[in-house]
Amino acid sequence: MIAGRYLAHQEGLPKLPVPPLQQTCEYYLAALTPIVDPEELNHTRKLLEEFQKPGGVGERLQKGLEQRTKKMENWLSDWWLQTAYLDYRMPVVVHSSPGVVLPRMEFSDRQGQMRYAAKLIAGVLDFKSMIDNETLPVEYLGGKPLCMNQYYQVLSSCRIPGTKRDTVVNYTLVKRPPTHITVVHNFQFFVLDVYNSDGTPLTIDQIYIQLEKIWNSSLQTNKEPIGILTSNHRNSWGKAYNNLIKDKTNKESVRAIQKSIFTVCLDAPMPRVSDDMYRTCAGVQMLHGGGSRWNSGNRWFDKTLQFIIGEDGTCGLIYEHAPAEGPPIVSLIDHVVEYMKKSEMVRTPMVPLRMPQKLRFHITPDIKKDIEEAKQNMNIMAHDLDMKVSVFSHFGKDFPKSQKMSPDAFIQMALQLAYYRIYKRCCPTYESASLRMFRLGRTDTIRSTSIDSDKFVKAMDDPAKHNTEKVALLDKAVKAHRAYTDMAIRGQAIDRHLLGLKLQAIEDLAALPEIFMDTSYAVVLHFNLSTSQVPAKTNCVMCFGPVVPDGYGVCYNPMDTHINFAVSAFNSCQDTNAARLAQALEDALLDIKTLLEQTPKAKL
């Protein structure tokens, strides 16, 4: 790692704590209460009593975690990277990598596309210089400095497939860090050097000229979209990868992509759709590229950062989730968008620039077979993703704030209500909480379904309940959510602690404690709602797939006077429907607002 300011800052951050065992067990029971039946709950209560006995298995595992804390920078981070990402064998496409939809751009031809791409590349390089020179402003949350490590992981890094587990490589730390990006156009990959020999970045004008050269030398679509291989199931891709890199040329080409600072995908236009469907189609483009007939082959999905720029003005990005969470990606976007507003094309002295190098691949019959398989699987995935990206325009953060309520808790309660109205039950809900107050902190889970949210959603549509009571229950539910959020960001939530106890048992080669074989544990981890608030200054929205076959992925960016939502589900599940949940969410937000406005404030 780079010495200097960054390290000094990191050393000053506290270590991630291990919460008290009894506290986690109590909160675990509370989390189960609204989602499992009373018999199950009783059974689990007995198991937890057994688990917590003095001198028992729980105490032993807890001590193990506390020992682990002493000898590591972060007791969780390695385990989390492995279990949440690198051991996960589903495709990264849809199942793991989030996409971001940027506002639609006003261009409709290749010149506009390339001008935009050139500015964007320059903007990312400008952000990179802040990372390299360690002038990136430290972020704070509630007056406390945050861990900045994720910013050092997103550029010049890439995931590498394995037949059983993957790895991540980061080339920023080598003696001669990479000076090129990868550009993909018509399924063909190019190496574009973005620095002059004296180390200065190319100007926007120079980048534009280089992009034009790339475009002109890739007019015909490549017959074999080699990039589609990266969208396959990880074990299949791991096998295909080992086969692919046996050939020296292929190995060098793949290495050039992996080492590049980031990737830019110059996409063909999307199928034309109506304006109200536009954002949804753009979301789908970012997540998977629309299938093998469209842009899915115009990607290298293992690359940490890929910017997508369509000829029709559809722009955004997709990122491989292992190295970082949404917020660092979004602040990079915010920086780039600001940079692009103020930068004009500067005429530069015409130094002849080297032709960008096209990466060659030798396609053997075996590799061709792997490509065909990946295409088929990709098209099945593309057909299966049900997506709805919408703008809720009636109000934004301004309304909950006027009611002295946390906007995030307010939105989460509306989501609980929307789900309850459709399914007449509450479900396990995941909302990510940042652990960046701690060294190398990633995330923990805010459990939005609580005993209090359960009471509120059941009362909301009950004609026997008075409005004042409903408002009181809403208020209580919002406060409970806020309290759990605060607990989570202080490292006191239950999900990562329970995971740690389980992994500690596996590491000790002990028998897995019964609480982890209990039905309740499977239920509590089956997140029918997987949600995330990813706020940005830019009017964009992040989107991701559901984490269970019968679930939803819900991401939102609350702006001052509107809220951007992305809801996903799978078509293969008869019970879920993204547009229906999006509509129910819109109704719930409006109904809660009406309830608050119609109910006179109690005199305090």
Side-chain angles (χ1 to χ4, degrees), residues 196-241:
N196 296 302
S197 49
D198 64 357
T200 54
L202 299 189
T203 62
I204 294 172
D205 211 30
Q206 289 174 311
I207 298 168
Y208 177 82
I209 290 164
Q210 296 297 73
L211 290 174
E212 203 156 35
K213 291 179 192 168
I214 287 174
W215 180 287
N216 291 332
S217 54
S218 54
L219 293 171
Q220 260 65 49
T221 297
N222 225 24
K223 284 183 288 297
E224 298 303 338
I226 193 85
I228 201 118
L229 290 171
T230 61
S231 69
N232 219 346
H233 185 280
R234 303 308 293 175
N235 293 358
S236 316
W237 168 217
K239 282 209 229 16
Y241 177 82

Side-chain angles (χ1 to χ4, degrees), residues 65 75 87 106 174 177 287 290 296 305 350 411 498 584:
L65 283 185
W75 66 265
D87 288 346
E106 291 301 318
V174 295
L287 280 182
S296 296
L305 209 48
M350 281 297 112
I411 294 168
L498 288 168

Side-chain angles (χ1 to χ4, degrees), residues 536-550:
K537 294 191 191 83
T538 308
N539 191 18
C540 62
V541 65
M542 193 171 271
C543 41
F544 46 75
V547 296
V548 293
D550 57 344

Side-chain angles (χ1 to χ4, degrees), residues 375-564:
K375 276 188 191 173
Q376 280 175 333
N377 291 341
M378 177 46 134
N379 294 340
I380 293 167
M381 263 197 299
H383 279 292
D384 195 22
L385 184 70
D386 171 26
M387 186 90 194
K388 180 70 184 156
V389 179
S390 58
V391 179
F392 176 80
S393 55
H394 305 278
F395 60 85
K397 288 183 292 198
D398 52 1
F399 178 71
K401 281 180 171 170
S402 74
Q403 301 293 311
K404 309 268 186 289
M405 287 180 175
S406 143
D408 181 58
F410 186 94
I411 294 168
Q412 286 286 339
M413 289 314 115
L415 192 52
Q416 287 296 315
L417 178 59
Y419 190 91
Y420 185 78
R421 282 171 165 179
I422 297 173
Y423 297 101
K424 300 294 171 269
R425 64 180 180 88
C426 293
C427 71
T429 304
Y430 182 112
E431 182 188 358
S432 52
S434 171
L435 291 177
R436 283 177 57 206
M437 265 184 204
F438 306 100
R439 226 179 292 179
L440 304 184
R442 296 283 303 253
T443 58
D444 206 328
T445 309
I446 300 166
R447 289 192 164 267
S448 303
T449 308
S450 63
I451 294 169
D452 292 307
S453 75
D454 183 50
K455 285 181 182 158
F456 160 66
V457 300
K458 285 174 177 161
M460 181 67 183
D461 297 330
D462 180 350
K465 297 267 192 284
H466 289 302
N467 278 3
T468 41
E469 189 182 346
K470 293 177 187 179
V471 170
L473 290 171
L474 168 67
D475 199 49
K476 208 173 167 202
V478 163
K479 289 194 166 91
H481 185 273
R482 192 60 250 171
Y484 198 92
T485 302
D486 290 340
M487 224 174 76
I489 57 186
R490 292 200 320 274
Q492 298 294 317
I494 63 172
D495 279 73
R496 303 297 180 264
H497 186 201
L498 288 168
L499 175 71
L501 293 165
K502 181 183 169 183
L503 293 174
Q504 186 65 45
I506 292 168
E507 202 152 283
D508 294 349
L509 297 173
L512 207 53
E514 278 195 69
I515 62 160
F516 299 119
M517 319 229 269
D518 179 27
T519 322
S520 290
Y521 191 63
V523 170
V524 86
L525 290 179
H526 188 89
F527 292 109
N528 297 91
L529 283 176
S530 173
T531 75
S532 187
Q533 167 178 252
V534 184
K537 294 191 191 83
T538 308
N539 191 18
C540 62
V541 65
M542 193 171 271
C543 41
F544 46 75
V547 296
V548 293
D550 57 344
Y552 293 96
V554 182
C555 196
Y556 51 98
N557 174 13
M559 311 288 284
D560 288 331
T561 58
H562 69 274
I563 308 168
N564 295 334

